[in-house]
Each structure stands twice: as structure tokens, then as C-alpha cells.
Amino acid sequence: MHDDRNLVEARLRRVLDERIRPAVYPESVPLQVAVWHAPGEPVPVAEGLAAEPAPIEVGARWGAPWGTSWFRVTGTVPEAWAGRTVEALLDLGFDENMPGFQCEGLVYRPDGTPVKGLNPRNQWVRIGAPVEGGEEVRLHIEAASNPVILDYHPFRPTRLGDKDTAGHEPQYTLTRMDLAVLDETVWQLVLDLEVLGELMAELPVDSARRWDILRAVDRALDAIDLQDVGGTAAGARARLTEVLAAPAVPSAHRISAVGHAHIDSAWLWPLRETVRKVARTTSNMTALIEDEPEFVFAMSQAQQWAWVKEHRPEVWARVKKAVAEGRFVPAGGMWVESDTNMPGSEAMARQFVHGKRFFLDEFGIENEEAWLPDTFGFAAGLPQIIRAAGSKWLLTQKISWSQTNKFPHHTFQWEGIDGTRIFTHFPPVDTYNCSMRGSEIAHAARNFKDKGRARHSLAPSGWGDGGGGTTREMVAKAARLRDLEGSATVVWETPRAFFEKAEAEYPEPPVWVGELYLELHRATLTSQARTKQGNRRSEHLLREAELWAATAAVRTGFPYPYEELDRIWKTVLLHQFHDILPGSSIAWVHREARATYERVAAELNSIVEAAQRALAGEGETPLVFNAAPHPRAGVPAGGAATPCTNGATTLAPRPEGGHVLDNGLLRIEIDAQGLVVSAYDIDADRETIAPGAAANLLQLHPDFPNMWDAWDVDEFYRNTVTDLMDADSVTAGEDGASVRIVRSFGTSRVTQVLTLPPRERRLVLDTEVDWHETEKFLKLAFPLDLHVERYASETQFGHFHRPTHTNTSWEAAKFEACNHRFVHLTEPDWGVAVVNDSTYGHDVTRTVRTDADRGTTTTVRVSLLRAPRFPDPETDQGVHRFRHALIPGAGIADAVREGWWINLPERRTTGAVEVAPLVTVDNEAVVITAVKLADDGTGDVVIRFHEAHGARARATLTAAFPYTDLTVTDLLERPGGECEPPVRDGDRITVRLRPFELMTLRLHRLRDR
């Protein structure tokens, strides 16, 4: 037999494109169109419907960037179409390759009832099936003219990312506004041929199944009259029946398809536009659920559900109905799909508290899976948090984007820093926007790394990022793939159903220990410094507000601000979304974030000040409130007292030029260029700075990654570096304990104040950068005289060790990593910590010196600022302030304590009385991260704490208030928790904790009668 495969496949492509697809809508008539352009921001639906539009013709330009236009389309169904299926085809000027990334619309009936969303892959609205003929059609479209930010030439700087700079030129051309007859037989033929053609392309050329399909397709094409596709489509379909009915082999890979629309809560659009994206998508998905009895749709991010409830009550009613039917499924149990590297311990816990509680309160549904398909890597502390929230599974996909190493599993147990394991799945389809193409399904089956032990994988299916969701074409393809020879089998299932099957078939999966590091998007630890500072400071202000408000409520009857704290927490959690906190959103998003963080700070400071005033009373006694979990200067943790003051710092000229600071514990030498050339630990007789090197060294690199500008820093940035050695001035501070340094470079200026506090083992570096560079990366280096093979970085509820060497490609790929408040490096008897108040990115490298001592220099570099131009061309321009501290002679306990110190500065006031802590703990290894009143309003006190040093710990907590009983709870403050029960003896509670173990206690207070 002659090989005519290429001939038949080419024939299929052309006939489909030029004859069969155009015949899906064989007849059409134009609709009349009018438009009203809303001034300014989007208007309420009622206002948009009531506005008086002006006529507009197909082919006209419309839509200024970020504008809203209300189209009214009217027409009459021709009498001749009676008995046929009729749809409105509404093309706003779509590019079908950009679903979710350009203009979109939501269709309403005249009474304001939402019908469905419009996007590039979903342009139809059903009028009738069948129609009677003569029906009057009147629809309204709320159309958003969102500009294209990520274009065919991606990553080019654009001013379209902020309404203030985007201009007013129309973005789109109105393309089609018709009533059309849908030929459902031709539509089904298109899907038959697409599924078979895509499957055929994935099968081996020498496979009998491929040739069976080829011959069937050839016969079907023979049956098509190209001048009468509609009249011959049924005959063509009949010739495909046999190959479509052939069942899959018993060993076929099994795919659980989950309807999905990954909607970034902000990214290349602002938060307000996401509210509308969610409304469009949920309208579409509830409509699809009504039409397709097997389809199941899952949506994560409780915040997005809350937006629908608040802003689109008509859509919310449809959503609630579909949830009750088990077809529209809450997923993930988090407030948003957050970044997981940078959020602090309590914030990461509250993502689950507020997310799970929303779904429990609204639907009575308990989520057991964490759903984070697009998050940029996962911190090693996360498994314990997932388990403590009452969940047990994790899904993500993003690790498949890693550039260097391919992750060895798709289904596995992920073990965190405390030993908690979470059953985890990476969909081998390698996308969270699966569209049911044959190439995607075949890739999932081939790519699955756990063959021979497991057969199930999950495929999130639907257009995402900008929303849109699953289409009827995807559902139709899935129906054909349910049991089809040569293909993996596909069935619509909920995430829970998938995980239950996957866990049952794979009872002993492999284990991965430690962080799930994404070998990509490393620069998200640094981009948009103000957003990151806003997050860090909000987290610590929330701790203070809860602590002092709870203390005041118990001691004085102060009204605990339940509603305010709940609202503020949700605001902060929203801004931890994985394109806001990482700094990868458009300028508009970060401009609004800065303003939001300022409002949050003002409101939280007001709560703190009111609670402290209630506690301290009116008086003139100097008081310091200490919100940190460790005592300092005689002030107890969680209390207020008059601080102890003693000791002094001397400041003297350095003979070689510069200055020497000495406080009896440390002697710091700062040379004439403002560099720290010595940090001498007097008690230990130990130098901190490597010989011949200098700390407080600012280093500037070129920073132009190959793609994903705000997201990525590529390793080649290190090839070129400029050490900023020259100082404009180095002067002694007037306080006698500091040195002020000014440097200029490029068009930027740095002002630093280096302070050595009395009797503290801490050199504080306050850095102000007036930053006006472009495509540069600024680092702050500390070359240390330490020989270490690994170092510790703080993460949620503990710390995680990373190697300092690059023995393997896995280690080499971690050339930029995340820490929270500290990094710590130590030899067995002496160590150093570098702590910070708002930075996350860092790198640690090691070299062996070639001089006579042949010692090891281990350099810690803090990442301060970047200047990418996409998607925000003005990223981080302007003034920034950072605080860091170098802690010579630090053990891990010092690193933990100093990390808290730098993030929770003392608050000085005057009052009548000192304030005793509400609860104390006698072991500094046990760190209290939250003291608050229970969320249910009962007045019970909730205390959350963990072992922070990485060792077993026994501790006694003492509560300084009466309570009747105590309960170990999960994060949602419900009875539960997998821990050794505490022992109560009066007001003393003894606990035993594993390394990094987290515990939450609820102390039940006496109720007022």
C-alpha cells in the first residue's frame, strides 16, 4: 500500500479550515448595534442598562484602554428559521489566541439577568433551540476594553498597564454582530474530526490504530459535498462511528478532568477588573453546567467567590444552586492562590483559616486539598500548615516550568520541615489551561513519571490566567475521549474524587523532603520592593493589633475589633496573591497596593494605640510596649514596662581613615569609603569579616533576563558586577554610636546610617536608596570568615537549610533564594546572622582563599532593588528605606530573636501602670506567633506557638487570666491537632514539641452570666 498519510492529513486540515468549520453557521443576518461608553470607572449594571446608546457599525473602532462600553444588540429571528437552533455571534474584535488577555464582555437580558460571558473562545449566545421564528432579540453587553499587555512581542515596555498613562485611543474593532443558524450536525462533525486528527498525530506512524483512523477520516471526507456540507455531514459522521467507538486499552492512562478557569486575582489587569472577570467566568460555567450533565467545574480562591456574592447577586444565586448539585466545586481552601515563599507564618496560616471558613460558612463544605497550580515554588514550612488547617492534599503545576532540573515525580508525598507529609500531585499535562487537545492528552500519558505504580492524573481544563473557563467544545472532546482506543481516558471529576482514587492506588508514593523550589521566577523575591515592605509591615502590625487588643479586652473590657481585624486580614491576604506580592503585576496594581498598605497601617496603628492606652492608663511613667515574643531591655514579651538602660558605645577615629564603633561586645571598623572592614566579637576573640574583604558592600549588576522581566533573574547577571566603593562622604553621627555614609552612582544616591547600640551584639544598617536605574540589580554583600556547607533561612514556623556549594545542578539552580527575617550561618561553635525588616531575596556563595590561610569566605548578599521595565516600566523608581543588621557570634536562637526585634520595634509611651503579659513561656525556643481572641466572638483566648530552633522542646506556658479549660485546636480554632497533649497545672500549661512543631491552644474564659 502506498503511503498517502501526508496527503490525507493535509486534506483534513484544509477541508476542516475552509469548508466544514465555516459551515457550522450556514446562515446569518446582522443585528442592530448601539453603544454607550461609560465615563471613568465601571458603572452599576442598572445604570449601564438604562443609558441611552448611540448607533455603531461593525468595523468601527471602540474601547479606550480600561474603558467600559455598554453595547445594545437588537434584531428579529427570521420566520424561515423556525425549528432550527439560533445563536447570536458577538465578536467584539477578539483575537482567539488571547482568551483572557484582551477585551471581554458579560451579556445581560433587558431585566439585568446575566446570561454568559464573552471571550475570544466563547463568542456565542443561545437564542433558541429550536426557535419558532419571529422572536425579538434584545441583549446588552457590558464590554471591557482591557488592553493587551502581553502581546505577540512579549515583555516590551508599555504604558498601558496603568489607566493614568494608557491614553484614550480605541483598542478594538467591532467585528461581528449577527444572528446565525447553528448546524449542530456540522458542529459535531468538526469535533469528531478534530479529536481523531489530533489523536492520529500522536500515535506512532507504524501503529495500526493510526492507519485505521486515517482511512476512516479519508472515507468521511469523501462523503462530504464541499458545496453542501450541511446536507452531507451526517453521512460523514457515520463513517467515523466505528473508529470513535473503539474502546481504550485496559492499561490506558486515566485522566480526571476538572473544569477550571485559573483567574489571577490581579496581574495584567487591576483588582477591579478581576471582579468582573470572575462574574463573566462563573456566568459561563453555570450555563455550561446546565447544558452538560457530566461536566464538573472547580473554582478556588474564596476571595473571588466573595466578589461574586457581593457584586453579582444574580450570578451568585446560580452558583449556589450548582454547588448544591455538586457540579460547581469550591477548591483549595485558601483566601487566594497566594505566593507561599514570602508570606509569614501567621499570614500563611490565615490564608487557610479565611479560605476554608468562607466555604464552610457558605456551603458547609470542607476543603481537603490545597489548590495552587500557578504559584512560584513552595516553602518547606507549608505541609504542616496545610495539615494544621485540616487539609491533606496539594495540587500544583508550576514546578514543570523549572529551567534546569525536571522534577522526578508527578504523585508523591511532600515532607516539610517538621516531618509532616502531604500527598501531592503535579498534573503531567503540564498546563493548568488544558483545552482537551490531543497533544495535551497524549503528553499527559507519556510524561507521567509514576507509570507502573499509578495510572491516574488530573487535568485542569479551561481557559485561564485571565479567566474564561471551559468551553462546550472542550466538553464535547472529553466525551469522545472518555473511552477511546489510542488515547488516555478522560472523565469529569471533582478534585476530591481524583485525590481519593490517586491516594488509594498509590499507598506508598516516593517522598520529597524540603522546599519545592521553582527554578524560574527567582526575581519575584525582589521586584516591587514597596509592595513587599507593605506586606511585611502589615503582617507585624496585625500581630500587634491582635496581641494588644486581646490583652486589653481581657484586662479592661476593651472592645475587641473582630470585624475590623477580619476585614484587614482579608485585605492583606488578597495582596499576597502570587502576582501581587511577587511584584509581577502591572503598575496600576502596585500603585493601588501602596495606597492600600498605607490605609492598613493607619487603621492598625489606631487599634494598637487605643488598646495600649486602655492598658497603660493616664500617667507620666515612661513605658515601652514589647510585641516581640522575647523580652528585651527588661520589658517582657507581650507586656509593657520601664526599660533598663545601661552601657554605652564609643566612636573614635580609625588610624587608617574612617571610624571605629565599640560597645564592649563588638568592635566595628568602618573605613574611609564607608565599608565595614572589621566586625570583631570581643568575647569570642573572633573576626566576622573575611580577610581582605569588606561588608556593607553595595554591588550593582546588569539585569536583563531572557524573558519574564519582573519575574526572572538569569544566572548570567553575575558575570558583570560593579562594586560601589566610592563614598561622597563618611561622617560620624551626632549620637556618638553611628556613622553616616553617602554614595552616588548612575542617577541614584544611597544614604546609610550604621549604628552599634549599647550592649547589643548587633550592627544596624539603615539604608535609603533614591533609585533611578533601569535594568539593574542592587545587592548588599557581607563576606564572612566562615566555613559552612549549609546555612539556614527562616520560613513559616521554622527555618530551612540550603547548601552553600553547587555540587549538583539542583544546588546550582538555587542561585537566588527566599528568607523571611533572617539567614544564619554557623560553624559548630560560632555563627553569624543577617536579619532584615522587609527583604526576601538573597544569595549565599563560598570561595576558598588562595593566600597562606586558605580559609573559606562565605558571602551573604541581600537583594535590595531591581529595575525591570515589564510589565511596569517604572518599577521601584524613587526612594526606598531598608533596615538590616549583622549579628556576629549568633546562634540560631539569636537569629530568631533578632529577626523579631528588627520587625517589631518597641513602642514608647507614658502611662500609669506597667502591663503584664497575657501569657508567658519559659523556653525561648518556643515562639508565640499569635495571641488573639477566638474568631467566633466567645472571648476565648487563642495562642499559637511553635518550636523555632529545630530541636525538641519542653516549655511551660503561664496564662495570667482565669480560664476554665483548654483545647488543642486546628488553625480554624476547632478541636483537633496531631500533637502530644499539653498538661495543665493551675495556670501553668506544659507542652512538649517536636522540632518546628506548631500548636494552637484555645483557653476557655469564664463567661459573664
Side-chain angles (χ1 to χ4, degrees), residues 45-317:
V45 173
E47 185 176 341
L49 294 175
E52 187 59 38
I56 186 173
E57 299 293 330
V58 168
R61 300 286 288 172
W62 72 278
W66 306 113
T68 300
S69 298
W70 282 85
F71 290 93
R72 184 187 67 196
V73 296
T74 56
T76 304
V77 176
E79 298 283 356
W81 290 1
R84 304 173 77 179
T85 297
V86 175
E87 295 181 344
L89 300 181
L90 309 173
D91 186 344
L92 299 172
F94 296 127
D95 179 341
E96 68 172 13
N97 296 314
M98 292 186 178
F101 292 90
Q102 54 173 248
C103 59
E104 301 172 49
L106 181 55
V107 179
Y108 295 89
R109 296 188 178 91
D111 64 1
T113 304
V115 180
K116 67 189 294 289
L118 297 177
N119 63 60
R121 297 297 182 102
N122 209 324
Q123 303 177 23
W124 57 273
V125 175
R126 181 65 57 88
I127 302 301
V131 296
E132 295 180 358
E135 292 95 335
E136 295 296 322
V137 175
R138 185 185 179 96
L139 298 171
H140 299 262
I141 308 167
E142 181 190 17
S145 51
N146 302 332
V148 176
I149 307 293
L150 192 67
D151 211 333
Y152 287 100
H153 301 286
F155 319 123
R156 291 186 177 176
T158 175
R159 298 286 177 177
L160 291 171
D162 195 328
K163 193 173 184 180
D164 291 346
T165 60
H168 303 284
E169 286 298 314
Q171 301 286 291
Y172 297 101
T173 300
L174 198 63
T175 301
R176 185 175 187 181
M177 294 276 149
D178 288 345
L179 285 178
V181 172
L182 170 68
D183 190 323
E184 295 192 60
T185 303
V186 175
W187 185 82
Q188 296 285 0
L189 176 61
V190 169
L191 274 299
D192 290 343
L193 290 171
E194 284 185 355
V195 166
L196 290 170
E198 291 165 1
L199 173 60
M200 182 169 58
E202 299 300 322
L203 294 170
V205 174
D206 58 359
S207 161
R209 173 64 169 164
R210 178 163 182 161
W211 287 92
D212 286 345
I213 295 172
L214 186 82
R215 293 295 163 230
V217 167
D218 204 21
R219 291 192 297 271
L221 295 177
D222 288 343
I224 293 290
D225 181 341
L226 298 182
Q227 278 67 52
D228 184 17
V229 173
T232 54
R237 292 198 71 203
R239 296 188 179 191
L240 300 173
T241 301
E242 185 176 347
V243 288
L244 284 169
V249 298
S251 60
H253 186 67
R254 298 174 181 176
I255 294 176
S256 296
V258 178
H260 189 237
H262 173 67
I263 304 177
D264 287 312
S265 290
W267 180 29
L268 305 180
W269 44 86
L271 287 167
R272 67 92 152 142
E273 192 55 35
T274 312
V275 174
R276 302 201 295 175
K277 284 177 174 285
V278 173
R280 297 173 199 128
T281 297
T282 51
S283 295
N284 260 347
M285 295 304 95
T286 52
L288 191 60
I289 283 170
E290 292 173 359
D291 293 340
E292 302 289 348
E294 295 186 353
F295 176 62
V296 176
F297 181 76
M299 189 169 89
S300 67
Q301 306 193 76
Q303 171 69 88
Q304 295 186 1
W305 293 70
W307 280 333
V308 178
K309 181 181 180 182
E310 178 183 357
H311 296 284
R312 291 291 192 272
E314 301 86 354
V315 180
W316 180 247

Side-chain angles (χ1 to χ4, degrees), residues 506-582:
Y506 208 2
E508 295 184 8
V511 177
W512 181 270
V513 178
E515 67 182 333
L516 296 173
Y517 180 93
L518 177 63
E519 296 170 355
L520 193 73
H521 292 359
R522 302 167 181 90
T524 57
L525 303 173
T526 305
S527 297
Q528 298 287 0
R530 293 185 190 90
T531 299
K532 291 171 171 58
Q533 287 185 335
N535 173 74
R536 178 77 70 85
R537 290 167 186 170
S538 296
E539 290 178 350
H540 288 85
L541 282 169
L542 277 161
R543 171 193 170 83
E544 287 194 83
E546 289 182 338
L547 169 66
W548 301 126
T551 305
V554 172
R555 294 276 167 72
T556 73
F558 179 81
Y560 191 79
Y562 291 102
E563 293 182 3
E564 293 91 335
L565 289 171
D566 180 80
R567 171 176 46 78
I568 295 169
W569 262 118
K570 288 172 179 175
T571 298
V572 173
L573 298 177
L574 166 60
H575 286 77
Q576 292 178 340
F577 178 74
H578 66 252
D579 279 307
I580 303 179
L581 179 54

Side-chain angles (χ1 to χ4, degrees), residues 661 666 668 676 754-756 761-765 884-886:
L661 294 166
L666 298 177
I668 307 297
V676 178
L754 275 54
T755 305
L756 183 64
R761 194 179 294 276
R762 175 195 312 129
L763 175 65
V764 181
L765 300 89
H884 295 84
L886 177 70

Side-chain angles (χ1 to χ4, degrees), residues 12-30:
L12 172 61
R13 286 191 294 271
R14 185 175 187 193
V15 173
L16 255 178
D17 287 344
E18 297 185 23
R19 291 293 188 271
I20 302 178
R21 287 195 184 98
V24 169
Y25 291 103
E27 300 177 58
S28 64
V29 295

Side-chain angles (χ1 to χ4, degrees), residues 647-651 661-663 735-738 756-759:
T649 297
T650 62
L651 173 62
L661 294 166
D662 191 323
N663 68 0
D735 60 1
S738 64
L756 183 64
R759 303 302 302 170

Side-chain angles (χ1 to χ4, degrees), residues 329-400:
V329 182
M334 295 176 67
W335 191 247
V336 294
E337 289 183 10
S338 72
D339 180 83
T340 75
N341 286 312
M342 291 176 282
S345 303
E346 274 303 308
M348 200 74 254
R350 305 300 175 95
Q351 285 286 352
F352 288 90
V353 168
H354 287 283
K356 294 194 72 168
R357 188 172 287 146
F358 181 89
F359 294 136
L360 283 164
D361 290 348
E362 294 294 337
F363 309 113
I365 290 175
E366 173 92 17
N367 294 102
E368 293 190 291
E369 76 289 333
W371 185 273
L372 293 163
D374 191 30
T375 296
F376 309 152
F378 299 87
L382 188 58
Q384 179 175 209
I385 297 171
I386 294 172
R387 184 73 70 179
S391 298
K392 59 183 181 180
W393 302 311
L394 169 67
L395 177 133
T396 184
Q397 181 273 321
K398 199 70 169 191
I399 299 298
S400 69

